[in-house]
Amino acid sequence: MRVYGRKTAYVNTAIIIINVLCFLYLELQGSTENAGFMLAHGAMFAPLVVDHGQYYRLVTSVFMHFGVSHLMNNMLVLFVLGDNLERALGHVKYLIFYLLCGVGANLVSMTVNLMMGSLSVGAGASGAIFGVVGGLVYAVGVNRGRLEDLTSRQLGVMILLTLYHGFTSMNIDNAAHIGGLAAGILLGILLYRKPRRYMGYGI
């Protein structure tokens, strides 16, 4: 019997590196904890997107973080979970999936903020990361509770802890988290295909 090793999840690694490089670049230019500075460099702000057509912010804000702890917390979760989903989807699909989840999370957040009249500057990869979690929820479910070494119980605990942290902390965009999670489940249904198992017969 031939045993195949796991494929390298180089897209997920590249996304993490890009996030770190963007953070370092911004820190060298100013302060990532300053909302005005972040806004000037591509963070999300609904009026600028809706009224001025600055749609690029839906993407650029996904690679920006408010301070080193914000960056490290998000990259740690992405490092732990992202490679599983990349191997399940494939490299190209995973990149498309990640970007669409980030944009989708921002759209949901923007809509909720406009409806509530809450105009805040937003940035961070957490919406896209919740999308990764959503994709894994679907993939794990389809595979009867396990995907590689990831079980439905482990994933469920992580989701509950992350949501609890979001709803009990200040300045956390829960609309983006929920929007990303929903986008991830939907895109998982559209993009993920359970591998077929082939039976070999001796002659």
Side-chain angles (χ1 to χ4, degrees):
M1 181 176 69
R2 187 176 178 182
V3 179
Y4 294 87
R6 292 182 176 180
K7 295 179 181 178
T8 303
Y10 58 78
V11 173
N12 194 63
T13 301
I15 290 172
I16 293 172
I17 292 172
I18 291 170
N19 274 278
V20 173
L21 290 177
C22 286
F23 177 80
L24 292 175
Y25 171 77
L26 290 171
E27 274 295 310
L28 289 173
Q29 300 298 314
S31 173
T32 57
E33 296 188 21
N34 183 291
F37 171 79
M38 294 288 277
L39 182 63
H41 287 80
M44 264 294 297
F45 190 59
L48 291 179
V49 176
V50 175
D51 298 331
H52 298 276
Q54 296 181 9
Y55 303 112
Y56 65 88
R57 294 179 183 274
L58 295 169
V59 177
T60 55
S61 62
V62 177
F63 295 92
M64 302 172 67
H65 290 85
F66 287 108
V68 66
S69 61
H70 187 205
L71 172 74
M72 295 305 294
N73 289 338
N74 279 343
M75 293 306 100
L76 178 61
V77 177
L78 186 59
F79 176 77
V80 171
L81 296 178
D83 59 340
N84 293 73
L85 188 61
E86 182 177 345
R87 283 190 290 270
L89 290 178
H91 305 306
V92 175
K93 281 186 178 180
Y94 178 71
L95 177 60
I96 295 170
F97 177 96
Y98 184 88
L99 293 175
L100 287 179
C101 284
V103 171
N106 274 334
L107 287 172
V108 171
S109 173
M110 182 177 68
T111 302
V112 171
N113 284 335
L114 288 173
M115 289 174 62
M116 297 181 63
S118 175
L119 302 179
S120 58
V121 178
S126 56
I129 293 170
F130 264 86
V132 170
V133 172
L136 286 171
V137 167
Y138 176 73
V140 168
V142 167
N143 287 281
R144 299 182 180 180
R146 178 178 290 273
L147 182 68
E148 296 182 349
D149 57 350
L150 181 67
T151 66
S152 57
R153 179 176 294 181
Q154 292 170 334
L155 189 59
V157 169
M158 182 165 289
I159 293 171
L160 290 174
L161 288 175
T162 309
L163 287 173
Y164 175 78
H165 172 72
F167 282 106
T168 56
S169 302
M170 297 290 291
N171 301 321
I172 299 294
D173 192 347
N174 290 300
H177 291 178
I178 295 172
L181 184 66
I185 294 173
L186 177 60
L187 288 169
I189 294 171
L190 295 175
L191 297 178
Y192 178 71
R193 296 293 178 268
K194 182 180 178 180
R196 294 181 180 179
R197 293 185 178 181
Y198 295 94
M199 304 229 6
Y201 296 92
I203 299 176

